[in-house]
Amino acid sequence: VIIAPATRAEGARRIVERLSDVVSREPLDDGEPVKLAGGYYAVDDFAEAAVDAEEMVLRAAAALRHGRNTEAEPSIVAFEEISLQDAP
């Protein structure tokens, strides 16, 4: 879990993309590349947000679960991109 105050959705996605790039450069002991999934929920202004910190973490975790459980490669997913059945 990464908490990035005052970070908009584009910034949150960039953080995960950069982390994924760095991590994927070092293969596992068996030579397989590391595949990173990411999920995030971002608000422009936490003080004005309609949700509290706990709800933000739950939403990001739901997005992460969705990104890990896709049929394709693990991906980076925003909470807003998942269906309501996957949400907390």
PDB file of all heavy atoms in Angstrom, residues 1-2 12-26 34-38 76:
ATOM      1  N   VAL A   1       0.850  -1.169   0.000  1.00  0.00           N
ATOM      2  CA  VAL A   1       0.000   0.000   0.000  1.00  0.00           C
ATOM      3  C   VAL A   1       0.894   1.230   0.000  1.00  0.00           C
ATOM      4  O   VAL A   1       1.840   1.320   0.778  1.00  0.00           O
ATOM      5  CB  VAL A   1      -0.915   0.026   1.250  1.00  0.00           C
ATOM      6  CG1 VAL A   1      -1.668   1.327   1.335  1.00  0.00           C
ATOM      7  CG2 VAL A   1      -1.855  -1.142   1.248  1.00  0.00           C
ATOM      8  N   ILE A   2       0.581   2.144  -0.892  1.00  0.00           N
ATOM      9  CA  ILE A   2       1.291   3.418  -0.962  1.00  0.00           C
ATOM     10  C   ILE A   2       0.270   4.511  -0.699  1.00  0.00           C
ATOM     11  O   ILE A   2      -0.769   4.568  -1.354  1.00  0.00           O
ATOM     12  CB  ILE A   2       1.934   3.633  -2.346  1.00  0.00           C
ATOM     13  CG1 ILE A   2       2.968   2.543  -2.620  1.00  0.00           C
ATOM     14  CG2 ILE A   2       2.556   5.024  -2.431  1.00  0.00           C
ATOM     15  CD1 ILE A   2       3.494   2.550  -4.028  1.00  0.00           C
ATOM     16  N   ALA A  12      -0.948   9.059  -9.191  1.00  0.00           N
ATOM     17  CA  ALA A  12      -0.999   7.732  -8.565  1.00  0.00           C
ATOM     18  C   ALA A  12      -0.658   6.653  -9.585  1.00  0.00           C
ATOM     19  O   ALA A  12       0.119   5.738  -9.306  1.00  0.00           O
ATOM     20  CB  ALA A  12      -2.391   7.487  -7.976  1.00  0.00           C
ATOM     21  N   ARG A  13      -1.208   6.773 -10.785  1.00  0.00           N
ATOM     22  CA  ARG A  13      -0.910   5.793 -11.836  1.00  0.00           C
ATOM     23  C   ARG A  13       0.574   5.846 -12.198  1.00  0.00           C
ATOM     24  O   ARG A  13       1.214   4.815 -12.365  1.00  0.00           O
ATOM     25  CB  ARG A  13      -1.779   6.044 -13.065  1.00  0.00           C
ATOM     26  CG  ARG A  13      -1.555   5.009 -14.158  1.00  0.00           C
ATOM     27  CD  ARG A  13      -2.494   5.192 -15.326  1.00  0.00           C
ATOM     28  NE  ARG A  13      -3.842   4.756 -15.042  1.00  0.00           N
ATOM     29  CZ  ARG A  13      -4.261   3.497 -15.155  1.00  0.00           C
ATOM     30  NH1 ARG A  13      -3.434   2.544 -15.520  1.00  0.00           N
ATOM     31  NH2 ARG A  13      -5.509   3.178 -14.887  1.00  0.00           N
ATOM     32  N   ARG A  14       1.143   7.038 -12.284  1.00  0.00           N
ATOM     33  CA  ARG A  14       2.572   7.167 -12.616  1.00  0.00           C
ATOM     34  C   ARG A  14       3.454   6.537 -11.544  1.00  0.00           C
ATOM     35  O   ARG A  14       4.468   5.915 -11.857  1.00  0.00           O
ATOM     36  CB  ARG A  14       2.949   8.634 -12.805  1.00  0.00           C
ATOM     37  CG  ARG A  14       2.763   9.113 -14.220  1.00  0.00           C
ATOM     38  CD  ARG A  14       3.514  10.408 -14.498  1.00  0.00           C
ATOM     39  NE  ARG A  14       3.318  11.441 -13.503  1.00  0.00           N
ATOM     40  CZ  ARG A  14       2.335  12.335 -13.518  1.00  0.00           C
ATOM     41  NH1 ARG A  14       1.443  12.322 -14.480  1.00  0.00           N
ATOM     42  NH2 ARG A  14       2.241  13.244 -12.580  1.00  0.00           N
ATOM     43  N   ILE A  15       3.081   6.687 -10.277  1.00  0.00           N
ATOM     44  CA  ILE A  15       3.856   6.075  -9.189  1.00  0.00           C
ATOM     45  C   ILE A  15       3.912   4.557  -9.392  1.00  0.00           C
ATOM     46  O   ILE A  15       4.980   3.945  -9.324  1.00  0.00           O
ATOM     47  CB  ILE A  15       3.246   6.414  -7.809  1.00  0.00           C
ATOM     48  CG1 ILE A  15       3.490   7.880  -7.474  1.00  0.00           C
ATOM     49  CG2 ILE A  15       3.828   5.509  -6.720  1.00  0.00           C
ATOM     50  CD1 ILE A  15       2.718   8.362  -6.254  1.00  0.00           C
ATOM     51  N   VAL A  16       2.760   3.946  -9.649  1.00  0.00           N
ATOM     52  CA  VAL A  16       2.722   2.492  -9.828  1.00  0.00           C
ATOM     53  C   VAL A  16       3.478   2.084 -11.092  1.00  0.00           C
ATOM     54  O   VAL A  16       4.202   1.087 -11.101  1.00  0.00           O
ATOM     55  CB  VAL A  16       1.271   1.970  -9.850  1.00  0.00           C
ATOM     56  CG1 VAL A  16       1.242   0.471 -10.082  1.00  0.00           C
ATOM     57  CG2 VAL A  16       0.565   2.311  -8.549  1.00  0.00           C
ATOM     58  N   GLU A  17       3.336   2.844 -12.175  1.00  0.00           N
ATOM     59  CA  GLU A  17       4.055   2.525 -13.410  1.00  0.00           C
ATOM     60  C   GLU A  17       5.566   2.581 -13.200  1.00  0.00           C
ATOM     61  O   GLU A  17       6.297   1.701 -13.650  1.00  0.00           O
ATOM     62  CB  GLU A  17       3.650   3.486 -14.525  1.00  0.00           C
ATOM     63  CG  GLU A  17       2.254   3.238 -15.049  1.00  0.00           C
ATOM     64  CD  GLU A  17       1.757   4.334 -15.972  1.00  0.00           C
ATOM     65  OE1 GLU A  17       2.370   5.436 -16.037  1.00  0.00           O
ATOM     66  OE2 GLU A  17       0.728   4.106 -16.648  1.00  0.00           O
ATOM     67  N   ARG A  18       6.043   3.606 -12.509  1.00  0.00           N
ATOM     68  CA  ARG A  18       7.484   3.724 -12.244  1.00  0.00           C
ATOM     69  C   ARG A  18       7.980   2.588 -11.363  1.00  0.00           C
ATOM     70  O   ARG A  18       9.039   2.012 -11.612  1.00  0.00           O
ATOM     71  CB  ARG A  18       7.789   5.069 -11.591  1.00  0.00           C
ATOM     72  CG  ARG A  18       7.651   6.231 -12.533  1.00  0.00           C
ATOM     73  CD  ARG A  18       7.906   7.526 -11.819  1.00  0.00           C
ATOM     74  NE  ARG A  18       7.723   8.658 -12.709  1.00  0.00           N
ATOM     75  CZ  ARG A  18       7.613   9.898 -12.313  1.00  0.00           C
ATOM     76  NH1 ARG A  18       7.657  10.180 -11.010  1.00  0.00           N
ATOM     77  NH2 ARG A  18       7.455  10.867 -13.186  1.00  0.00           N
ATOM     78  N   LEU A  19       7.222   2.266 -10.331  1.00  0.00           N
ATOM     79  CA  LEU A  19       7.593   1.166  -9.450  1.00  0.00           C
ATOM     80  C   LEU A  19       7.640  -0.138 -10.234  1.00  0.00           C
ATOM     81  O   LEU A  19       8.575  -0.932 -10.104  1.00  0.00           O
ATOM     82  CB  LEU A  19       6.613   1.066  -8.284  1.00  0.00           C
ATOM     83  CG  LEU A  19       6.890   0.000  -7.249  1.00  0.00           C
ATOM     84  CD1 LEU A  19       8.251   0.198  -6.608  1.00  0.00           C
ATOM     85  CD2 LEU A  19       5.807   0.017  -6.184  1.00  0.00           C
ATOM     86  N   SER A  20       6.666  -0.349 -11.077  1.00  0.00           N
ATOM     87  CA  SER A  20       6.622  -1.552 -11.903  1.00  0.00           C
ATOM     88  C   SER A  20       7.835  -1.625 -12.826  1.00  0.00           C
ATOM     89  O   SER A  20       8.441  -2.696 -12.993  1.00  0.00           O
ATOM     90  CB  SER A  20       5.337  -1.578 -12.728  1.00  0.00           C
ATOM     91  OG  SER A  20       5.278  -2.736 -13.517  1.00  0.00           O
ATOM     92  N   ASP A  21       8.199  -0.515 -13.436  1.00  0.00           N
ATOM     93  CA  ASP A  21       9.374  -0.486 -14.315  1.00  0.00           C
ATOM     94  C   ASP A  21      10.639  -0.885 -13.569  1.00  0.00           C
ATOM     95  O   ASP A  21      11.441  -1.686 -14.049  1.00  0.00           O
ATOM     96  CB  ASP A  21       9.568   0.903 -14.932  1.00  0.00           C
ATOM     97  CG  ASP A  21       8.542   1.227 -15.998  1.00  0.00           C
ATOM     98  OD1 ASP A  21       7.869   0.301 -16.488  1.00  0.00           O
ATOM     99  OD2 ASP A  21       8.413   2.424 -16.334  1.00  0.00           O
ATOM    100  N   VAL A  22      10.824  -0.341 -12.373  1.00  0.00           N
ATOM    101  CA  VAL A  22      12.024  -0.628 -11.586  1.00  0.00           C
ATOM    102  C   VAL A  22      12.038  -2.093 -11.148  1.00  0.00           C
ATOM    103  O   VAL A  22      13.045  -2.786 -11.296  1.00  0.00           O
ATOM    104  CB  VAL A  22      12.111   0.311 -10.360  1.00  0.00           C
ATOM    105  CG1 VAL A  22      13.196  -0.133  -9.402  1.00  0.00           C
ATOM    106  CG2 VAL A  22      12.348   1.741 -10.805  1.00  0.00           C
ATOM    107  N   VAL A  23      10.917  -2.566 -10.629  1.00  0.00           N
ATOM    108  CA  VAL A  23      10.835  -3.931 -10.114  1.00  0.00           C
ATOM    109  C   VAL A  23      11.026  -4.956 -11.242  1.00  0.00           C
ATOM    110  O   VAL A  23      11.675  -5.982 -11.064  1.00  0.00           O
ATOM    111  CB  VAL A  23       9.491  -4.152  -9.385  1.00  0.00           C
ATOM    112  CG1 VAL A  23       9.258  -5.613  -9.078  1.00  0.00           C
ATOM    113  CG2 VAL A  23       9.449  -3.326  -8.113  1.00  0.00           C
ATOM    114  N   SER A  24      10.488  -4.673 -12.413  1.00  0.00           N
ATOM    115  CA  SER A  24      10.559  -5.649 -13.506  1.00  0.00           C
ATOM    116  C   SER A  24      11.967  -5.800 -14.080  1.00  0.00           C
ATOM    117  O   SER A  24      12.238  -6.760 -14.794  1.00  0.00           O
ATOM    118  CB  SER A  24       9.585  -5.262 -14.617  1.00  0.00           C
ATOM    119  OG  SER A  24      10.008  -4.061 -15.242  1.00  0.00           O
ATOM    120  N   ARG A  25      12.868  -4.900 -13.761  1.00  0.00           N
ATOM    121  CA  ARG A  25      14.252  -4.989 -14.253  1.00  0.00           C
ATOM    122  C   ARG A  25      15.042  -6.104 -13.583  1.00  0.00           C
ATOM    123  O   ARG A  25      16.040  -6.566 -14.113  1.00  0.00           O
ATOM    124  CB  ARG A  25      14.975  -3.666 -14.042  1.00  0.00           C
ATOM    125  CG  ARG A  25      14.453  -2.565 -14.914  1.00  0.00           C
ATOM    126  CD  ARG A  25      15.247  -1.304 -14.735  1.00  0.00           C
ATOM    127  NE  ARG A  25      14.500  -0.180 -15.284  1.00  0.00           N
ATOM    128  CZ  ARG A  25      14.499   1.021 -14.787  1.00  0.00           C
ATOM    129  NH1 ARG A  25      15.208   1.295 -13.710  1.00  0.00           N
ATOM    130  NH2 ARG A  25      13.790   1.971 -15.343  1.00  0.00           N
ATOM    131  N   GLU A  26      14.618  -6.516 -12.406  1.00  0.00           N
ATOM    132  CA  GLU A  26      15.317  -7.555 -11.652  1.00  0.00           C
ATOM    133  C   GLU A  26      14.481  -8.831 -11.642  1.00  0.00           C
ATOM    134  O   GLU A  26      13.461  -8.895 -10.969  1.00  0.00           O
ATOM    135  CB  GLU A  26      15.570  -7.103 -10.215  1.00  0.00           C
ATOM    136  CG  GLU A  26      16.566  -5.975 -10.092  1.00  0.00           C
ATOM    137  CD  GLU A  26      17.968  -6.394 -10.521  1.00  0.00           C
ATOM    138  OE1 GLU A  26      18.363  -7.551 -10.279  1.00  0.00           O
ATOM    139  OE2 GLU A  26      18.656  -5.544 -11.111  1.00  0.00           O
ATOM    140  N   VAL A  34       9.329 -10.099 -12.659  1.00  0.00           N
ATOM    141  CA  VAL A  34       8.349  -9.733 -11.638  1.00  0.00           C
ATOM    142  C   VAL A  34       7.216  -8.988 -12.339  1.00  0.00           C
ATOM    143  O   VAL A  34       7.460  -8.110 -13.157  1.00  0.00           O
ATOM    144  CB  VAL A  34       8.983  -8.836 -10.560  1.00  0.00           C
ATOM    145  CG1 VAL A  34       7.935  -8.368  -9.570  1.00  0.00           C
ATOM    146  CG2 VAL A  34      10.111  -9.557  -9.863  1.00  0.00           C
ATOM    147  N   LYS A  35       5.997  -9.366 -12.028  1.00  0.00           N
ATOM    148  CA  LYS A  35       4.830  -8.705 -12.607  1.00  0.00           C
ATOM    149  C   LYS A  35       4.073  -8.016 -11.485  1.00  0.00           C
ATOM    150  O   LYS A  35       3.697  -8.652 -10.507  1.00  0.00           O
ATOM    151  CB  LYS A  35       3.949  -9.717 -13.322  1.00  0.00           C
ATOM    152  CG  LYS A  35       4.649 -10.373 -14.489  1.00  0.00           C
ATOM    153  CD  LYS A  35       3.818 -11.475 -15.088  1.00  0.00           C
ATOM    154  CE  LYS A  35       4.614 -12.166 -16.182  1.00  0.00           C
ATOM    155  NZ  LYS A  35       3.973 -13.395 -16.624  1.00  0.00           N
ATOM    156  N   LEU A  36       3.884  -6.734 -11.621  1.00  0.00           N
ATOM    157  CA  LEU A  36       3.286  -5.934 -10.571  1.00  0.00           C
ATOM    158  C   LEU A  36       1.872  -5.518 -10.950  1.00  0.00           C
ATOM    159  O   LEU A  36       1.634  -5.069 -12.071  1.00  0.00           O
ATOM    160  CB  LEU A  36       4.142  -4.687 -10.335  1.00  0.00           C
ATOM    161  CG  LEU A  36       3.757  -3.778  -9.195  1.00  0.00           C
ATOM    162  CD1 LEU A  36       4.062  -4.463  -7.869  1.00  0.00           C
ATOM    163  CD2 LEU A  36       4.512  -2.471  -9.279  1.00  0.00           C
ATOM    164  N   ALA A  37       0.949  -5.694 -10.034  1.00  0.00           N
ATOM    165  CA  ALA A  37      -0.420  -5.191 -10.196  1.00  0.00           C
ATOM    166  C   ALA A  37      -0.569  -4.013  -9.249  1.00  0.00           C
ATOM    167  O   ALA A  37       0.065  -3.964  -8.194  1.00  0.00           O
ATOM    168  CB  ALA A  37      -1.438  -6.276  -9.865  1.00  0.00           C
ATOM    169  N   GLY A  38      -1.400  -3.069  -9.615  1.00  0.00           N
ATOM    170  CA  GLY A  38      -1.629  -1.914  -8.761  1.00  0.00           C
ATOM    171  C   GLY A  38      -3.079  -1.501  -8.779  1.00  0.00           C
ATOM    172  O   GLY A  38      -3.762  -1.638  -9.792  1.00  0.00           O
ATOM    173  N   ILE A  76      -2.697  -2.111 -13.758  1.00  0.00           N
ATOM    174  CA  ILE A  76      -2.898  -0.981 -12.858  1.00  0.00           C
ATOM    175  C   ILE A  76      -4.332  -0.513 -13.058  1.00  0.00           C
ATOM    176  O   ILE A  76      -4.734  -0.193 -14.170  1.00  0.00           O
ATOM    177  CB  ILE A  76      -1.910   0.153 -13.184  1.00  0.00           C
ATOM    178  CG1 ILE A  76      -0.468  -0.357 -13.062  1.00  0.00           C
ATOM    179  CG2 ILE A  76      -2.150   1.347 -12.265  1.00  0.00           C
ATOM    180  CD1 ILE A  76       0.561   0.583 -13.654  1.00  0.00           C
TER     181      ILE A  76
END
